[in-house]
Structures are given as structure tokens and as C-alpha cells.
Amino acid sequence: MEKRIYLSSPTMHGEEMEYIKEAFETNWIAPLGKNVDAFEAELAQYLGGGHAAALSSGTAGLHLAVKLTGVTPGDIVLCSDFTFAASVNPVCYEKGVPVFIESERETWNMDPRALEIAFEKYRGERKPRAVIVANLYGTPAKLDEIAQICAHYKTPLIEDAAESLSATYKGRQTGTFGQYNVFSFNGNKIITSSGGGMLVSPDEQAIAKARFWATQSRDPAPHYQHSELGYNYRMSNVVAGIGRGQLKHLEEHRAAKEKIFERYQKGLKDLPLTMNPSLSCSEPNYWLSCILLNQDCNVSPIALMDRLADENIEARPIWKPMHLQPLYAHSDYISIGDEVGSDVFSRGLCLPSDIKMTQEEQEKIMEIIRGMLR
Ligand SMILES: *Cc1c(COP(=O)(O)O)cnc(C)c1O
């Protein structure tokens, strides 16, 4: 059997181990500790400011972000439709009501025109409590337009930058456009701590509150006293050590991902397909390279995925839009009629984007695709 080529697997460098070692030598294996404090500070510095709370997952970060916006049962939250379920499930943890916003063609992310329509539809007592926008596959959404609409309707924006760490929009880092911003260090993300997340905000008090909730909401009392519901959401000091080591290699990972994207773009350009699009004012992190087969292409993405799997190559279907999920079958979906998410879902495929993949391996993948599509 050929060596497996992964979609996007962890790439470690060695510095991670140094930080882990230090944690072991000081016996600081427990949650919190020096690595956690330093990882928060280093990530905030990388982003150019703000305050950060290191958490057990990106999902935990999104949950705390939803809580910080004050979502209570029945509150409407306008969410990206075309995303991973972890973007929106936290709305339901608080018994809020997600309303899904269609994507546009230029980035595959939330369409500001549909967002505007949603704000027009939900007003008065049903005024949305928050907006959650995801930057899918590391491609920045139309963040200025979306942030402007949110500001106009005085509604806080949560940016789900789980997939887009190091991507920029008009020169500014993603994960800095929201009042609350979330990153993930899950195993397949651009950098990984084996699992973990970060909540980032310009609001220092909000981050302090998130840390309080994330450590069981323990009141400042000598005994164990709780006035609020709490969670065990903090990142461990060992995990944060891996994150610190990885952060040093973020730019290198981004550059390698971009190269992979460019090679696909060049190598597949005569075939009936396009690659995942982005705006000229943005610089994606190219977390995953995706293809969109032309409408008249007679090969299905799943057939292509199966063919690659035969060669021990891991491709993955495009995220299934939330309004098509059985879980959210009864949720409202605001569309301007183009159905971008469903369309990309039916014609798209995520190609291996692992930065340890060699040029020869990538060439082999493209040869298989050419063989199927020509
Ligand atoms: C990975 C991911 C998350 C969740 O992050 P975890 O750390 O796995 O909890 C949320 N949103 C998107 C878009 C993601 O890709």
C-alpha cells in the first residue's frame, strides 16, 4: 500500500517538545500555568493586539462568545449557513435560535446582501442578538461589509476564524473583525495544539468574564461558592506548550499551504473545474485547497474522492450547509435565490492540503484527477 496522503495532518517541529518538557520538569501539567499565559500573549501579539483566553476547543470559544453577546432562550442569531456545525451549535447550547444566511460566490462565505435582508426581516422584539460569520477554508469573508451592517444594526459580530488563522483582509488579520473572535487548534487546522481554542476580543473585561466561566465560575470566596453556571473549558499547560511551539511556524505553514494551492491551480487549469475563490483585497491562509467541478462535468465529487481513496489519498467532501442538516431542518434560511452553499456542496471537493505532502505526491493526485476528468 502506498504511504497515505492526508487532507491536513499535524506538522510538528521540535520546539513544541521543549515547552512540554519545561511543563513536565516544573510538574506544571495542570490546567493553566506559564505556557497558557504565554500562548495567550503571543497569539494576541501576533494578531496585533487584543486580549485572549486559551480554551479546550474552538467550540468552547464559540460557546463563550455566544454567552458574552447575552443570548437567552429564543434569541435570534444570524449565522453563516455554509460552515461546520461547531460554528452554530453553541447558539443552541444557550437555547438561541440560529437563522442561516446564504453564501455569496466570491468567497463562499456569508452574503452581506442576505444578511441585510435578515436584519430587515427580524426587527423589533425579534432583533437578532448576534451575528456569527465563518471564514471558510481560510478564505476571509466580506468582512468590511458584514461588520458595517452589524454596526448599523448595533449587533455584536462573532468571527469564527477557526480555519483562517494568519489569513488577512485588507492587510488586517482575520479574527480581529468581531467583537468576539474564535480560533481553533484542532488536529487538522493550520497549526494545532492537539486540540484547543482561543477566544480573542478587544474587550479586556469580556475576556476576564470568559476565563471566569471557563473555570467553573468560582466566586472570589475562600470556600467553593458559585453564583453563576460554570464550565471546565480552560486549556491545559501541556497543550498550550504545543501551541506555542506551533505558533512560531505559522507563517511557514501558511506559505506551504499557498504553494500547494498554486500548484493545484496551475496543474488543473485545463480541466472543467475552478478552485475556491477569494477577494483580491484578501490573502487567504489556503488551509484547504478545494475544487468546484463545472456544472456540465459528468464526474461526481464523491466518485473522485473514492478514486483517490483507492490510492490511499484522503480527500473530503465540502461542508454540508446548515440549512440542509437534519438537525436544522426547521430553522429559517435567508437566501437571495442563488443557493451557493448547496451548489458548492454538490459540486465541490477538498483536496489533500497537507504541508508534508511532497511535490511528487501532489503531482500524482493531479494525475489521477486529470485521468478522471479528461
Ligand atoms: C474546527 C472548527 C470549529 C471548531 O473548533 P474545535 O477546536 O474543533 O472545537 C469551529 N468552526 C469551524 C469553521 C471549524 O472549522
Side-chain angles (χ1 to χ4, degrees):
M1 194 67 164
E2 290 280 327
K3 185 174 125 236
R4 185 157 174 79
I5 304 174
Y6 289 97
L7 183 83
S8 182
S9 73
T11 302
M12 294 291 140
H13 302 276
E15 279 105 324
E16 297 89 354
M17 204 45 133
E18 297 302 313
Y19 292 117
I20 293 177
K21 227 194 235 154
E22 189 184 310
F24 270 71
E25 277 160 8
T26 55
N27 200 33
W28 221 287
I29 308 301
L32 306 180
K34 181 183 157 192
N35 281 334
V36 173
D37 295 343
F39 190 30
E40 290 176 345
E42 286 158 7
L43 189 82
Q45 192 190 12
Y46 173 81
L47 297 172
H51 303 273
L55 302 167
S56 52
S57 68
T59 309
L62 285 156
H63 184 195
L64 297 181
V66 165
K67 276 179 70 78
L68 283 166
T69 62
V71 169
T72 54
D75 280 351
I76 302 285
V77 178
L78 307 178
C79 303
S80 284
D81 171 59
F82 192 25
T83 185
F84 179 45
S87 268
V88 302
N89 286 344
V91 172
C92 300
Y93 300 170
E94 293 303 314
K95 301 192 164 49
V97 178
V99 168
F100 299 114
I101 311 295
E102 185 187 358
S103 288
E104 33 80 6
R105 291 269 166 201
E106 288 166 282
T107 74
W108 294 356
N109 291 307
M110 182 186 278
D111 190 334
R113 294 167 299 178
L115 179 64
E116 185 84 53
I117 292 168
F119 270 114
E120 287 302 312
K121 175 168 178 180
Y122 291 95
R123 23 191 354 161
E125 270 178 27
R126 304 200 69 198
K127 180 178 182 287
R129 179 69 69 177
V131 172
I132 302 177
V133 63
N135 301 309
L136 220 59
Y137 300 124
T139 302
K142 295 187 171 177
L143 291 167
D144 269 354
E145 281 104 312
I146 288 165
Q148 268 162 26
I149 293 168
C150 290
H152 179 257
Y153 289 95
K154 298 187 169 56
T155 303
L157 176 64
I158 297 171
E159 196 185 343
D160 178 358
E163 300 178 2
S164 70
L165 177 59
S166 82
T168 56
Y169 175 89
K170 296 185 179 169
R172 181 170 150 194
Q173 287 287 329
T174 59
T176 64
F177 288 81
Q179 190 158 343
Y180 309 111
N181 308 275
V182 176
F183 296 99
S184 165
F185 310 109
N186 189 16
N188 64 14
K189 297 288 166 30
I190 190 157
I191 60 168
T192 180
S193 61
S194 82
M198 196 78 81
L199 174 67
V200 179
S201 172
D203 179 350
E204 186 171 10
Q205 273 178 330
I207 294 300
K209 187 78 196 195
R211 289 200 186 105
F212 169 75
W213 284 330
T215 44
Q216 311 285 18
S217 297
R218 212 180 139 186
D219 290 343
H223 43 268
Y224 280 85
Q225 178 180 297
H226 306 273
S227 312
E228 284 188 65
L229 193 59
Y231 305 86
N232 182 4
Y233 274 176
R234 276 299 242 167
M235 183 180 276
S236 100
N237 197 46
V238 174
V239 161
I242 306 175
R244 289 183 75 190
Q246 286 270 290
L247 191 56
K248 292 188 188 319
H249 295 273
L250 175 56
E251 285 307 314
E252 178 188 326
H253 286 201
R254 205 205 71 80
K257 294 268 189 193
E258 182 171 11
K259 266 224 170 68
I260 289 169
F261 183 88
E262 283 169 355
R263 275 194 220 116
Y264 277 131
Q265 200 168 40
K266 195 156 160 253
L268 303 174
K269 73 172 185 309
D270 296 325
L271 298 176
L273 58 81
T274 51
M275 306 277 304
N276 39 339
S278 61
L279 300 173
S280 57
C281 66
S282 78
E283 192 53 66
N285 70 0
Y286 301 99
W287 173 54
L288 293 185
S289 291
C290 311
I291 52 172
L292 184 65
L293 301 172
N294 288 359
Q295 231 128 20
D296 54 7
C297 181
N298 54 9
V299 176
S300 77
I302 297 301
L304 201 52
M305 183 176 84
D306 290 345
R307 174 76 189 81
L308 291 165
D310 288 343
E311 304 286 333
N312 208 17
I313 296 165
E314 183 188 18
R316 187 167 79 179
I318 294 280
W319 296 128
K320 184 173 184 176
M322 290 304 112
H323 80 280
L324 298 178
Q325 299 289 350
L327 175 63
Y328 291 118
H330 302 292
S331 301
D332 194 8
Y333 164 57
I334 308 288
S335 158
I336 60 165
D338 194 17
E339 305 293 331
V340 174
S342 333
D343 181 40
V344 175
F345 171 61
S346 67
R347 296 193 285 127
L349 187 68
C350 303
L351 297 181
S353 307
D354 195 293
I355 59 174
K356 291 177 298 314
M357 173 170 66
T358 64
Q359 222 163 312
E360 293 70 43
E361 286 170 330
Q362 190 173 356
E363 196 46 56
K364 179 181 159 185
I365 292 165
M366 292 194 286
E367 208 39 61
I368 293 168
I369 296 173
R370 285 183 207 112
M372 292 257 324
L373 295 187
R374 262 212 286 259

